[in-house]
Amino acid sequence: MKIAVPDYDVGIIGAGPAGSFCAYLLANAGFKVLLLEASAEIKRKICGEYLCPTGLELLRQQGFGEYLETHFLPIFGMKLVSPTYQFVKTYFPDFVSRSAQGISVPRDQFDTFLFEKAKQGGVHAKIGIRALRFHLDLFWNIQLSDQTSASCKILIGADGRRSIVAKHLNLHLPSSSKRVAVHCFLQAKHKNERLGEMHIFDDGSYIGINPVEEKRSNISLVCDVDILKKMGTVAKVLHFYLNRSPLIRDSYEIPETDISFSTTFPITYRTRSAIGPQCALIGDASGFIDPLTGEGIYNALWTAHFLAQKLCELAKPLEPKEIEKKLQEYARGKKRQFRQKVFLSKVFQNVIQHQSLCEGIAFFLIPSQKRANIFIGIIGNVYNPLYGLFLFFKSFFPQVGPSSRLH
């Protein structure tokens, strides 16, 4: 009797940072991997295009650091701007004995780099091929848009916030978010400082800025969709907020008309679970929170790395019961990893709705560079939120030495 054998150990849908990085790691560990990308080419996506120091460290561990630091510009911290235009410059705290830095990553270049690394690592990659239907019997059977099919033991959805894998498994949840993101690029009047920027307005809207070139920056506005409805057009909303801040007006060329932009709505994405039967979701497909404290590319790389780590613990041949065990471990680990981040995001979402709280934070950050650096370390994933908050509150009190003890 002939034993059925799947075409691949793992099939991955989506060749963004999560899909390509996971494919690379699994192929490097000896898995036979199929990687599918629906687009005919690797495109520049709507994204802040910034990778935090901890995300860069994940890629350094794979030997990619020299290339990335040579081909992509560094980011050393962030400038935080309050509703009354108080601002503080923050720098990423040192960690693992390195000078802490992130990088700007134009998505077409960055995604192409990881995609090519996956192919060089032995991944069977198909571009311009869409997965149409999925069926799980003994294996996952995938019907493809080129009228072929493929089978695999483990299916991974890395296909973003509109994940067809999550929808097929009924894992996606409706979003309650009423916020919209508007994205554009602006030319700087002067050479960019290698700091990201976060400008918070008195109505809870904010603009994130990431310098992707020497004199060009990635601009992301996040505001309530009701504001867009009130003003009538996205272009009016974008011009309104860009011109509200004197710091932005002084730094960037803001076209009066014909500014090119793109939008994303809603900006959050929820799933009921990150796993299904012999299936897992990674990157944005597994859930995405408001980018005020979330960092999408890092989350993509972390989930890809952690899932690959769990699957690499499996012995061959891959048995369904053992696969499910490792997928459960992935789901629990992911939940632990992001529980604090989700809570922190909700706290900050409430803070930015109140101007007095924003100004209060600026008041405490401006006098202390150390305190400001700890704060950006929390937001920038250098510290986990709980430990970072401990360091932040500790910075308000002098060290207690033996001479200061009461007897």
Side-chain angles (χ1 to χ4, degrees):
M1 180 178 176
K2 189 175 180 180
I3 299 175
V5 177
D7 301 321
Y8 300 93
D9 297 318
V10 180
I12 301 178
I13 313 300
S20 291
F21 190 44
C22 190
Y24 169 83
L25 294 171
L26 291 172
N28 199 45
F31 286 77
K32 190 176 181 182
V33 182
L34 171 66
L35 177 62
L36 297 174
E37 171 54 45
S39 300
E41 59 181 331
I42 304 294
K43 297 179 180 180
R44 197 167 192 172
K45 298 178 176 67
I46 299 175
C47 176
E49 299 189 317
Y50 149 74
L51 179 62
C52 66
T54 316
L56 179 57
E57 183 63 22
L58 271 179
L59 296 177
R60 281 196 187 110
Q61 292 169 7
Q62 301 303 318
F64 301 161
E66 183 177 352
Y67 177 90
L68 294 172
E69 291 169 31
T70 300
H71 289 78
F72 297 99
L73 293 174
I75 296 292
F76 297 111
M78 291 191 72
K79 182 192 293 184
L80 304 176
V81 184
S82 79
T84 59
Y85 313 115
Q86 294 188 82
F87 72 87
V88 55
K89 291 183 180 180
T90 69
Y91 300 91
F92 297 125
D94 235 11
F95 74 112
V96 295
S97 302
R98 293 181 183 272
S99 176
Q101 69 171 66
I103 51 175
S104 294
V105 286
R107 282 293 300 275
D108 51 346
Q109 300 173 41
F110 183 68
D111 290 14
T112 297
F113 168 74
L114 290 177
F115 184 71
E116 292 300 323
K117 281 294 180 184
K119 289 201 298 183
Q120 292 166 16
V123 172
H124 185 194
K126 291 186 176 185
I127 193 166
I129 304 297
R130 291 181 293 113
L132 301 177
R133 290 178 296 278
F134 309 93
H135 175 69
L136 177 61
D137 192 2
L138 184 59
F139 314 124
W140 278 104
N141 292 288
I142 310 170
Q143 296 297 316
L144 306 177
S145 59
D146 63 356
Q147 299 184 336
T148 65
S149 63
S151 60
C152 58
K153 279 204 170 182
I154 303 168
L155 177 66
I156 297 175
D159 48 341
R161 282 171 276 179
R162 293 177 177 85
S163 172
I164 60 170
V165 178
K167 289 179 180 177
H168 174 81
L169 294 170
N170 196 29
L171 293 176
H172 72 294
L173 293 170
S175 174
S176 59
S177 173
K178 294 183 178 181
R179 290 166 79 76
V180 60
V182 184
H183 179 267
C184 68
F185 293 92
L186 290 181
Q187 198 70 17
K189 293 180 180 179
H190 310 286
K191 185 177 178 180
N192 277 320
E193 195 171 8
R194 299 314 307 167
L195 297 174
E197 298 180 29
M198 181 65 72
H199 297 252
I200 298 173
F201 299 100
D202 56 11
D203 61 0
S205 303
Y206 63 88
I207 286 179
I209 300 178
N210 179 43
V212 291
E213 298 173 16
E214 293 290 358
K215 295 187 69 176
R216 186 174 170 82
S217 291
N218 179 310
I219 312 291
S220 297
L221 163 68
V222 174
C223 66
D224 287 346
V225 72
D226 290 341
I227 294 174
L228 191 154
K229 292 177 181 177
K230 183 178 179 180
M231 292 193 182
T233 68
V234 175
K236 286 182 180 179
V237 173
L238 185 57
H239 277 94
F240 172 75
Y241 282 103
L242 289 175
N243 284 288
R244 278 192 72 180
S245 170
L247 297 176
I248 295 177
R249 290 200 309 268
D250 291 346
S251 300
Y252 292 96
E253 305 285 352
I254 303 174
E256 292 185 9
T257 59
D258 300 327
I259 187 168
S260 178
F261 62 84
S262 51
T263 60
T264 299
F265 177 81
I267 60 171
T268 60
Y269 177 73
R270 299 188 303 145
T271 58
R272 66 180 77 254
S273 175
I275 61 171
Q278 293 179 223
C279 173
L281 302 172
I282 57 176
D284 287 358
S286 66
F288 183 81
I289 59 177
D290 188 307
L292 177 65
T293 60
E295 202 273 283
I297 301 178
Y298 169 65
N299 294 346
L301 296 176
W302 188 91
T303 52
H305 183 270
F306 186 61
L307 177 60
Q309 187 179 58
K310 289 292 140 188
L311 295 181
C312 287
E313 295 171 0
L314 289 167
K316 292 189 177 180
L318 303 175
E319 298 294 340
K321 286 185 178 181
E322 293 302 313
I323 292 172
E324 293 304 317
K325 180 180 177 181
K326 292 302 172 184
L327 292 181
Q328 290 286 348
E329 290 177 8
Y330 163 71
R332 289 193 295 269
K334 178 184 179 297
K335 189 173 182 179
R336 285 194 302 270
Q337 171 74 8
F338 293 105
R339 183 185 293 121
Q340 292 181 31
K341 195 72 172 178
V342 170
F343 175 76
L344 188 67
S345 177
K346 291 178 179 178
V347 170
F348 282 156
Q349 289 302 326
N350 285 315
V351 166
I352 66 173
Q353 300 297 325
H354 300 85
Q355 181 176 342
S356 59
L357 293 177
C358 293
E359 301 301 339
I361 290 175
F363 175 80
F364 286 118
L365 294 184
I366 290 171
S368 170
Q369 188 66 60
K370 178 180 179 181
R371 193 177 302 149
N373 294 351
I374 293 172
F375 186 79
I376 205 61
I378 299 170
I379 295 176
N381 297 301
V382 177
Y383 302 129
N384 74 59
L386 191 60
Y387 179 65
L389 288 172
F390 165 75
L391 293 178
F392 183 77
F393 288 115
K394 184 180 177 183
S395 70
F396 286 92
F397 304 98
Q399 292 292 330
V400 178
S403 60
S404 63
R405 290 176 183 167
L406 295 176
H407 295 282

